[in-house]
Amino acid sequence: MNLFKRLFKIGQAETNSAIDNMEDPIKMTEQGIRDMKLDLDKSLEALAQVKALAIRAKNDQDEFQNKAEEYQNKAIIILKKGHSKEMESAEADRLAKEALVQKEMADQQMIRAKEESAKFDNNVAQLQKNIQTIKANIGNWENELKTLKARVKVSNATKSLNKQMAELDSTGTVSMLERMKEKVAQEEALAEAYGDIANASKSIDDEIDKAADTTKAKANDDLEKLKNQLGLSNSKDS
């Protein structure tokens, strides 16, 4: 049946791992549910039609059964009239015989109507079973649709995150960060080296300035000159 083909197709869509290369499972499931609802409508229409035929066959059965009983009763009445001389015996036999012929025809029609009624009843039972199956499938797949939508949301979010992580590594961001960390370390080392050089240069200049300092020697000379002017110079120094 087309219904089972569609259900199989929906199942394939749900279980296929290559999501990017297949039809949208949500849309496919929704379409499958719509198709099943169309099947349900058609089955309900067919059920109504078959039920109408079953009712008609049952009515025909009752009608032909009543006719058969009616002709049977008429034949009895006619025979009784012939027996009681209310009518000629030959005529009574003829009419009673015709009534029995009509009764037989009504019996045959009643049997056919009964067979048709039984057949239609079986058809009604099968259609009702199919309708219950379709209704159950619709209910199940409507619940599955809710689950599928939730799974697709999770799947899309996970796929997006994994894609971002994959693109992060593929673009060399991690490697770039490692290089930046190494560069900072190099800059820090270079700054420290310049500091050492600056300190070393400053110490050398201080030593040179100290060695080249003539301030004390000049002060000694000035002191001696002042002593000579004042006549305070030691004789041994003269």
Side-chain angles (χ1 to χ4, degrees):
M1 292 178 63
N2 291 334
L3 169 62
F4 295 109
K5 289 182 180 179
R6 283 194 293 272
L7 290 176
F8 180 72
K9 189 175 183 181
I10 294 172
Q12 284 182 319
E14 181 188 0
T15 57
N16 193 337
S17 58
I19 297 178
D20 291 336
N21 297 324
M22 72 176 183
E23 297 180 68
D24 188 335
I26 299 300
K27 292 182 179 179
M28 289 182 65
T29 303
E30 290 175 338
Q31 183 59 49
I33 292 173
R34 285 194 292 269
D35 291 343
M36 283 190 288
K37 287 183 177 180
L38 289 175
D39 289 336
L40 177 60
D41 291 340
K42 292 178 181 178
S43 296
L44 289 172
E45 182 179 354
L47 176 61
Q49 293 175 350
V50 174
K51 273 191 172 183
L53 292 174
I55 292 171
R56 177 68 181 274
K58 183 65 171 60
N59 291 339
D60 288 345
Q61 178 185 341
D62 293 340
E63 180 182 351
F64 290 130
Q65 184 175 357
N66 291 333
K67 280 187 176 181
E69 292 175 356
E70 183 179 350
Y71 281 120
Q72 176 75 17
N73 292 331
K74 286 180 179 180
I76 293 172
I77 292 172
I78 291 171
L79 288 175
K80 285 182 177 181
K81 285 185 176 182
H83 182 71
S84 63
K85 306 301 182 180
E86 293 181 33
M87 61 184 303
E88 293 183 1
S89 178
E91 182 67 10
D93 288 346
R94 183 182 72 79
L95 291 176
K97 183 178 179 180
E98 289 294 333
L100 291 176
V101 170
Q102 294 298 321
K103 173 186 176 298
E104 179 63 22
M105 292 176 59
D107 283 336
Q108 294 299 321
Q109 290 174 321
M110 185 268 293
I111 291 172
R112 285 194 296 270
K114 185 177 181 180
E115 291 174 351
E116 289 181 352
S117 178
K119 180 181 67 175
F120 291 139
D121 286 342
N122 289 333
N123 291 338
V124 167
Q126 185 60 47
L127 282 170
Q128 287 177 331
K129 183 178 179 180
N130 291 342
I131 287 170
Q132 291 304 317
T133 299
I134 295 174
K135 285 182 177 179
N137 284 330
I138 290 173
N140 290 337
W141 280 103
E142 284 178 338
N143 290 332
E144 285 291 335
L145 179 59
K146 296 177 183 177
T147 302
L148 284 177
K149 287 181 177 180
R151 289 172 60 187
V152 167
K153 286 183 180 179
V154 173
S155 176
N156 289 339
T158 303
K159 181 174 68 175
S160 177
L161 178 60
N162 289 340
K163 184 178 179 181
Q164 290 177 356
M165 294 300 295
E167 290 177 349
L168 179 66
D169 290 339
S170 64
T171 55
T173 304
V174 173
S175 298
M176 181 271 291
L177 292 175
E178 290 294 337
R179 290 197 304 272
M180 292 301 100
K181 185 171 71 173
E182 180 65 23
K183 186 173 182 180
V184 169
Q186 291 177 355
E187 293 292 335
E188 289 175 344
L190 184 60
E192 184 177 353
Y194 278 129
D196 291 341
I197 293 173
N199 290 333
S201 298
K202 185 177 180 181
S203 298
I204 293 173
D205 288 339
D206 289 343
E207 291 178 6
I208 292 173
D209 290 342
K210 183 177 180 181
D213 188 8
T214 58
T215 302
K216 187 174 181 181
K218 186 175 183 299
N220 289 333
D221 291 341
D222 291 340
L223 178 60
E224 288 300 322
K225 288 179 180 180
L226 183 58
K227 284 182 177 181
N228 289 331
Q229 291 176 359
L230 297 174
L232 298 177
S233 173
N234 293 330
S235 57
K236 62 179 181 178
D237 292 335
S238 301

